[in-house]
Amino acid sequence: MAVNCLVTYGADTRVIAMQQGRLGEMIPKLQTLFNIPPNYIIKLKRFSDDWQEWINVEPLELKNRDKVRVETCMSLLDLTMETSSTTDDADVSVFTDDSGCLPQNIFEESDESDKGWVDVESASSTEGQAQQSQQRKREAEIESQPTPPSKKPANKINVPFKPWPVTINIPESNMSPTLRATLRQGIFPSDKLRKQLIQMLFDYMWQFGSHPSRYHYEIVAQQLVKDYPCLAQTSVPSAKPYDYWKMKLSDKFRNERKSSRVRGTVQDLGGKNQKPQESAANRPLAGEDDDSIRMHMKWMQDESRKKTPDSKRVKKLMDITFKHRREDVDKKMLVPQLEEKYPFLFTAAEIHNEFQRMTGIEAVATISENLKPFIEPIWGYVFPGDQKEAEQFRKRAAESVTLQNAEEIKATAALYLLPSVLKKNRSEIMGQPKTPENMDAVSPYLEIESTVFDTNKPFTIRAEKRVIARATSFLEGVALLLETYYVFSMQYPKSAKDMFNFLESCLMRMEAVKPSRCVSSALIKLKACEK
């Protein structure tokens, strides 16, 4: 019996007839008919009259007069090999582990120097993109020329970047018509279109800063795959569907900064050494140069010794020096050196501000608001027999509740009991002050001098055996603890990852962070406690 199907791939539509017993040969036949490259993965979708939606289908499941759409994506192994060929060997030397699969941690590194790129807004041709690229380079060269002393603006303070938005919106209007049509039809883009897509994303991210964090790469890549499922890469089980795009964006920024250093060593046609040219990512702020940045840092160092520093100007100058500060952190500068160079970074207020500059999230207010739905379920949670300490703490907290402080006591107790709900030991990240010999050499630690309810005693964050900042409440202390890991680019302790995962995914509501298996299990149990 013959099976006739109406098959569409991009703008090409054909009627294909095959015998029922030979439907397994459908994929090779489609590859030949539509000239699909052999390294592309082919998926079929059938239109469902019942659901009025396109549904994944295997070739053997096709029926007569089915309406079928062909979607393609490149093998992630081929994509990774392509990336490795365009990436500096000094930065990424190994992409696969001994088993031939991509190691999970390869996507967790966010090196901060990237490839050159061109602006792609509504250009529909290669010539238009080349003109925009040349125009961008000319502007960078003009702006990088030293300003004559007589014309140099004085005391000019500009904040160059917008804050990162909480919600990422991929600017489809900036895509070329060909790229937009390709993605809307569910077709994996060609090499040329992929380059356009990365350039467009680079444009979008550049307006928020020249040094995106791992979190920023991840939320942009995740939103891209969410908007255009045909871009998802699922052929490697150890990799997430959006990891390829996250890696490409990181490479873009990395090589852009690297190319700016290389240009300074190239000779022009006249045989003269060219002066180093700064890329768009490293270009000085308007009205700012290295000398003025050093002056700002010196002013803040002197101001930190005063009893009442000018907090408004401090915040403004911290905004201006943000790029230089992130470069120092990314170079793994030690905490004592950072404290000497940026003394105001070691205050609770500026750690809160720095975290907000990086993520767009106001940590204390966000945790306080999103904790509310969990308070009653945690208070109603039944701890197993081996967690007597948690049950005793909850009883002591209940005895401390009055009409005046009920809300505050319950919220503080619920936050303190979170590790117990997750069945994790909190002693590695918080507890009574430790003696110097028992203190971890690196990891941030929240010291609780009295009890979590005693706001008369400070809650101190320590890292590398020195005080980072002090909080006035346990909730602010937990927020500072999380922010310290972000601000100083430190790794979570392995035993505390689930605790921080709960904070990021449930209390911070970070879009790029999904609940771990442990957190998902705890959420189910807490949901049962609501009934």
Side-chain angles (χ1 to χ4, degrees):
M1 176 181 175
V3 176
N4 298 309
C5 297
L6 182 67
V7 182
T8 300
Y9 178 65
D12 197 353
T13 301
R14 304 188 185 192
V15 175
I16 296 179
M18 294 193 73
Q19 292 298 319
Q20 182 80 40
R22 302 187 65 184
L23 286 175
E25 302 172 10
M26 173 69 81
I27 297 297
K29 184 170 183 178
L30 294 176
Q31 204 156 20
T32 302
L33 286 175
F34 294 114
N35 295 318
I36 300 173
N39 58 336
Y40 275 48
I41 298 173
I42 297 178
K43 296 181 180 180
L44 303 182
K45 288 195 173 184
R46 175 173 60 194
F47 187 79
S48 169
D49 293 326
D50 294 335
W51 298 101
Q52 291 295 303
E53 185 58 84
W54 293 93
I55 299 174
N56 291 338
V57 65
E58 295 297 328
L60 295 176
E61 298 173 352
L62 293 175
K63 298 178 182 178
N64 192 37
R65 302 189 65 80
D66 269 349
K67 189 184 295 184
V68 180
R69 187 170 72 186
V70 179
E71 293 186 355
T72 60
C73 66
M74 199 179 209
S75 165
L76 185 55
L77 181 59
D78 293 323
L79 290 170
T80 306
M81 292 174 63
E82 166 199 322
T83 303
S84 65
S85 66
T86 59
T87 305
D88 194 330
D89 294 339
D91 290 315
V92 182
S93 58
V94 179
F95 281 91
T96 58
D97 59 15
D98 295 336
S99 64
C101 294
L102 289 176
Q104 183 70 18
N105 61 0
I106 192 171
F107 300 108
E108 297 302 323
E109 295 298 328
S110 176
D111 201 1
E112 304 298 0
S113 12
D114 232 68
K115 291 182 199 169
W117 56 283
V118 295
D119 187 16
V120 178
E121 293 186 355
S122 57
S124 59
S125 67
T126 305
E127 292 80 2
Q129 296 172 23
Q131 292 174 1
Q132 292 177 13
S133 176
Q134 293 298 325
Q135 178 66 19
R136 189 182 202 106
K137 290 180 180 177
R138 285 196 294 271
E139 293 175 357
E141 292 172 359
I142 293 172
E143 294 188 24
S144 63
Q145 296 298 322
T147 306
S150 59
K151 296 182 180 180
K152 184 177 178 179
N155 299 326
K156 187 173 182 180
I157 295 177
N158 289 325
V159 179
F161 301 122
K162 301 177 183 177
W164 275 89
V166 176
T167 302
I168 298 297
N169 295 310
I170 303 299
E172 188 180 85
S173 59
N174 291 350
M175 296 180 186
S176 67
T178 304
L179 175 60
R180 190 184 307 121
T182 299
L183 295 180
R184 285 180 176 178
Q185 292 172 16
I187 301 173
F188 192 83
S190 62
D191 292 351
K192 179 180 176 181
L193 292 180
R194 286 203 303 277
K195 290 177 181 178
Q196 288 186 16
L197 179 58
I198 292 296
Q199 291 164 356
M200 183 274 295
L201 293 173
F202 194 106
D203 276 327
Y204 173 72
M205 295 174 70
W206 168 250
Q207 64 181 317
F208 307 118
S210 59
H211 287 72
S213 65
R214 287 182 301 175
Y215 169 73
H216 296 135
Y217 289 130
E218 189 158 346
I219 59 175
V220 172
Q222 190 174 19
Q223 188 62 41
L224 178 69
V225 171
K226 182 179 179 181
D227 290 351
Y228 305 103
C230 64
L231 299 177
Q233 300 298 316
T234 57
S235 55
V236 178
S238 61
K240 298 176 183 176
Y242 54 82
D243 276 338
Y244 166 73
W245 300 102
K246 174 183 171 183
M247 182 172 59
K248 290 289 282 185
L249 288 171
S250 176
D251 289 345
K252 201 65 159 172
F253 280 89
R254 175 188 304 118
N255 292 317
E256 165 68 17
R257 281 180 282 273
K258 189 174 298 177
S259 65
S260 70
R261 293 194 295 271
V262 172
R263 283 199 297 271
T265 64
V266 178
Q267 291 186 337
D268 61 12
L269 295 177
K272 296 179 181 179
N273 289 332
Q274 290 186 352
K275 295 181 179 180
Q277 299 291 329
E278 291 199 304
S279 67
N282 285 331
R283 192 164 57 219
L285 310 184
E288 300 291 346
D289 57 17
D290 290 341
D291 290 335
S292 65
I293 293 294
R294 280 194 292 270
M295 289 176 60
H296 295 328
M297 293 180 183
K298 180 66 168 59
W299 181 90
M300 288 191 288
Q301 291 163 8
D302 294 339
E303 191 74 3
S304 67
R305 301 185 184 97
K306 297 181 180 180
K307 290 185 177 180
T308 55
D310 184 346
S311 58
K312 290 185 178 179
R313 191 176 181 197
V314 166
K315 185 178 185 304
K316 192 173 290 186
L317 294 182
M318 288 291 282
D319 288 339
I320 291 175
T321 56
F322 175 72
K323 170 194 163 185
H324 298 76
R325 194 162 52 253
R326 299 318 305 164
E327 288 176 346
D328 287 338
V329 172
D330 293 338
K331 291 174 185 175
K332 306 301 180 184
M333 182 179 284
L334 297 177
V335 168
Q337 296 172 316
L338 287 170
E339 186 175 16
E340 182 180 353
K341 197 170 184 179
Y342 307 101
F344 285 106
L345 187 60
F346 291 76
T347 63
E350 277 309 317
I351 288 181
H352 293 326
N353 290 335
E354 191 84 346
F355 181 77
Q356 192 166 1
R357 292 183 193 104
M358 295 172 67
T359 65
I361 298 174
E362 190 177 348
V364 176
T366 303
I367 290 178
S368 179
E369 182 63 29
N370 293 332
L371 178 64
K372 292 177 181 178
F374 295 100
I375 294 176
E376 292 303 327
I378 292 176
W379 273 78
Y381 185 81
V382 179
F383 292 101
D386 58 348
Q387 290 185 308
K388 293 180 180 179
E389 182 269 337
E391 189 62 43
Q392 291 171 356
F393 172 83
R394 185 166 56 187
K395 288 180 179 178
R396 290 197 302 271
E399 293 171 357
S400 304
V401 172
T402 65
L403 291 176
Q404 291 77 21
N405 66 6
E407 185 175 344
E408 181 182 353
I409 292 288
K410 284 190 171 185
T412 300
L415 192 57
Y416 182 80
L417 288 170
L418 267 180
S420 300
V421 174
L422 297 170
K423 297 182 179 180
K424 302 296 179 181
N425 189 351
R426 69 176 62 82
S427 62
E428 190 169 349
I429 57 173
M430 65 177 69
Q432 294 296 315
K434 294 182 178 180
T435 58
E437 57 271 17
N438 294 330
M439 194 175 295
D440 190 299
V442 177
S443 299
Y445 181 82
L446 173 59
E447 290 186 351
I448 306 169
E449 293 188 18
S450 179
T451 69
V452 293
F453 308 113
D454 187 358
T455 55
N456 295 320
K457 297 288 182 68
F459 296 83
T460 305
I461 303 294
R462 287 185 181 271
E464 296 189 10
K465 297 186 178 182
R466 63 195 307 116
V467 174
I468 301 296
R470 288 186 169 90
T472 58
S473 69
F474 178 69
L475 190 148
E476 185 189 12
V478 172
L480 272 176
L481 182 64
L482 174 70
E483 291 170 324
T484 300
Y485 279 98
Y486 270 79
V487 169
F488 296 102
S489 191
M490 296 180 174
Q491 295 293 323
Y492 295 143
K494 187 175 181 180
S495 61
K497 282 187 176 181
D498 288 317
M499 171 65 181
F500 287 110
N501 179 267
F502 191 100
L503 291 174
E504 292 173 328
S505 62
C506 301
L507 300 188
M508 289 288 195
R509 302 284 176 85
M510 291 181 171
E511 293 184 353
V513 182
K514 300 302 180 185
S516 64
R517 182 176 298 179
C518 173
V519 171
S520 298
S521 176
L523 290 174
I524 293 172
K525 294 177 181 178
L526 290 175
K527 185 70 174 177
C529 294
E530 292 179 351
K531 300 177 181 178

